[in-house]
Amino acid sequence: MDWQLSDDAQFLSAVPASRLVDHTPVPTTGAWRPGDDPGERRFARIGDVEVEAGGTIRGAVLAYETWGELSPARDNAVLVLHALTGDSHVRGPAGSGHATSGWWEEVVGPGLAIDTDRFHVVAPNMLGGCQGSTGPATPAPDGREWGSRFPRVTVRDQVEAQRRLADALGIERWHAVVGGSMGGMHALEWAIAHPDRVGSTALLASNAATSADQIATNALQIEAVTTDPGWLGGDFYDLPGHAGPARGLALARRMAMLGYRSQHELNERFERAWQSSVDPLAGGRFQVESYLDVHGNRFVRRFDAGSYVRLVDAMSTHDVGRGRGGVEAALARVSSPTLVVGISSDRLFPVADQQRLAAGVPTSVSGPEPIVLESGFGHDGFLIERDRVADLLAPLLG
Ligand SMILES: CC(=O)SCCNC(=O)CCNC(=O)[C@H](O)C(C)(C)COP(=O)(O)OP(=O)(O)OC[C@H]1O[C@@H](n2cnc3c(N)ncnc32)[C@H](O)[C@@H]1OP(=O)(O)O
Ligand SMILES: N[C@@H](CCO)C(=O)O
């Protein structure tokens, strides 16, 4: 059956690709000051970033949000790192002007596990992203979007950008660094590359080195985007009437959703149900197809295809052992108490990945085995089972 265009996707043809990303002008940035609005997005100029694979991102900027007061000793800061297509909007506090709620409302906030009455929470949007940080859709110094000129970035480059943000904010040492999925890759890289700057670490549904199985699914998604005729080699921005590789990006998201949710959940939730009264054999659709369409189409409206390709590629090249004598040698460098959590039904980052982490990190708080969250929601469990994730994080944060 042909790909179904929902009303959402038809609307897209009228939206120039560059409008899908955030081009908020960059205001002057300084360290946090008492009275700064919680949850107000701010921007740090982090200078020219020379990336591992070669190339320089000139005049890079990281967008970030903060909640809670930074103590006079600057020793209560917690770094919260988002996953592949997340952003800095961890929560949407009353009075901040945000219409939408954040992705970890039940985890970060007053009196919650990451208690904003006690901690100063910093959440950046990763380098290469499209929610305020410099990425392919951002204008380069010459005023044109970076597009295909935006270099390949790695998890290490992204952590280097975060290190510069920490310096800009005057935070010498994080009380904790917390991340899920790709955010967990960043958290682990912090603990390995900057052990003296990390008080404790939480790695949720993450890994030490991306496996062949994960690289394979990433490669197919990149191919789905870059073989869309609208990709134009990555230089599809601001062309009149051109929506960019919307169909390829939606297809990539639909593929990705299969890894984010478990077989059991999809089977239980949708069974073989039809989306309408029309039998799929007679041209109707199964409910699960409609579900994937909705998520694919929605995604295209909020995410830049150029960023997607660069960030998925960054996940594929993730290997903490590169140049460090292998994964186990790198994990042995971690010296902060580290919480390793896997999700029982995760088919994308299976529990074996977290077993390798827990076995290799000498300071794993659960010893050589990870904590396994029994959940049917699959990989996205760390975004869905928020109360249970909060219960696991609370002891680590003290
Ligand atoms: C740290 C970070 O990564 S932050 C970024 C994470 N966020 C994202 O990835 C955004 C995309 N969203 C998601 O992936 C998910 O919504 C999650 C993981 C955040 C939460 O999952 P859930 O609450 O279980 O949402 P779920 O995947 O079931 O989707 C629900 C939507 O599917 C729709 N849906 C369900 N069945 C169907 C169907 N048969 N046909 C069409 N749509 C359907 C529902 O109507 C609902 O839409 P609504 O949001 O307008 O109410
Ligand atoms: N739903 C998450 C899963 C990746 O870990 C995201 O898109 O960021």
Side-chain angles (χ1 to χ4, degrees):
M1 188 188 302
D2 199 9
W3 191 74
Q4 301 276 327
L5 279 174
S6 73
D7 289 346
D8 275 2
Q10 281 157 1
F11 165 81
L12 274 176
S13 58
V15 183
S18 63
R19 302 266 171 78
L20 297 170
V21 296
D22 191 315
H23 285 316
T24 310
V26 178
T28 311
T29 293
W32 179 87
R33 293 177 302 273
D36 277 356
D37 278 347
E40 179 191 349
R41 194 165 52 169
R42 311 184 74 210
F43 303 85
R45 297 178 192 277
I46 56 167
D48 298 345
V49 180
E50 286 186 27
V51 296
E52 255 195 290
T56 303
I57 303 167
R58 299 212 175 279
V61 166
L62 276 199
Y64 66 99
E65 293 176 53
T66 67
W67 297 263
E69 299 217 350
L70 183 60
S71 64
R74 296 177 175 270
D75 59 358
N76 68 333
V78 175
L79 183 62
V80 176
L81 300 167
H82 67 79
L84 175 68
T85 68
D87 53 37
S88 62
H89 201 46
V90 174
R91 60 175 289 110
S96 73
H98 281 295
T100 55
S101 59
W103 51 268
W104 249 7
E105 290 281 344
E106 295 83 354
V107 178
V108 177
L112 299 179
I114 304 180
D115 186 352
T116 52
D117 289 337
R118 292 176 56 208
F119 300 118
H120 176 65
V121 176
V122 179
N125 178 217
M126 69 176 86
L127 182 69
C130 55
Q131 300 300 329
S133 293
T134 302
T138 310
D142 67 2
R144 286 189 303 119
E145 288 86 357
W146 280 95
S148 62
R149 299 175 297 163
F150 193 83
R152 293 176 73 184
V153 289
T154 63
V155 164
R156 295 187 196 186
D157 298 326
Q158 292 168 325
V159 168
E160 167 58 15
Q162 292 164 7
R163 182 197 63 79
R164 294 183 190 195
L165 171 65
D167 289 352
L169 298 176
I171 296 166
E172 178 54 35
R173 188 168 189 269
W174 298 104
H175 177 77
V177 180
V178 178
S181 190
M182 191 175 185
M185 299 178 189
H186 295 129
L188 178 61
E189 180 60 27
W190 264 99
I192 291 170
H194 308 290
D196 49 336
R197 299 190 71 168
V198 175
S200 62
T201 312
L203 314 172
L204 311 172
S206 197
N207 65 8
T210 299
S211 67
D213 184 54
Q214 292 154 350
I215 292 168
T217 183
N218 289 347
L220 293 184
Q221 290 172 45
I222 290 175
E223 193 84 359
V225 177
T226 58
T227 54
D228 183 317
W231 171 248
L232 302 180
D235 294 311
F236 54 85
Y237 302 99
D238 266 343
L239 300 175
H242 185 67
R247 180 172 291 216
L249 184 61
L251 177 57
R253 183 64 167 182
R254 290 154 80 206
M255 291 177 180
M257 286 296 295
L258 297 183
Y260 298 158
R261 310 305 278 255
S262 72
Q263 301 98 311
H264 179 75
E265 187 206 352
L266 293 179
N267 289 339
E268 287 286 307
R269 185 170 172 184
F270 299 109
E271 301 179 310
R272 293 183 48 80
W274 306 349
Q275 185 61 21
S276 68
S277 58
V278 183
D279 185 338
L281 203 55
R285 282 195 303 164
F286 290 105
Q287 272 188 16
V288 70
E289 295 177 285
S290 166
Y291 171 76
L292 291 180
D293 270 359
V294 161
H295 276 290
N297 295 337
R298 253 183 213 174
F299 183 62
V300 167
R301 294 181 66 171
R302 75 171 178 86
F303 215 84
D304 168 53
S307 272
Y308 193 74
V309 165
R310 283 292 184 249
L311 300 189
V312 169
D313 178 57
M315 283 208 298
S316 287
T317 59
H318 167 64
D319 174 3
V320 293
R322 184 170 59 246
R324 293 171 174 151
V327 166
E328 272 62 39
L331 293 179
R333 296 187 188 190
V334 177
S335 56
S336 48
T338 298
L339 175 72
V340 182
V341 176
I343 298 160
S344 57
S345 57
D346 190 339
R347 55 176 161 172
L348 186 62
F349 287 66
V351 168
D353 282 352
Q354 296 87 49
Q355 281 168 336
R356 189 178 192 185
L357 285 170
V361 170
T363 46
S364 161
V365 296
S366 58
E369 287 293 328
I371 292 173
V372 178
L373 183 62
E374 293 295 332
S375 164
F377 285 115
H379 182 65
D380 267 349
F382 75 97
L383 296 169
I384 297 170
E385 304 269 21
R386 292 183 285 258
D387 291 335
R388 296 171 71 196
V389 166
D391 288 345
L392 294 174
L393 286 172
L396 184 78
L397 283 135

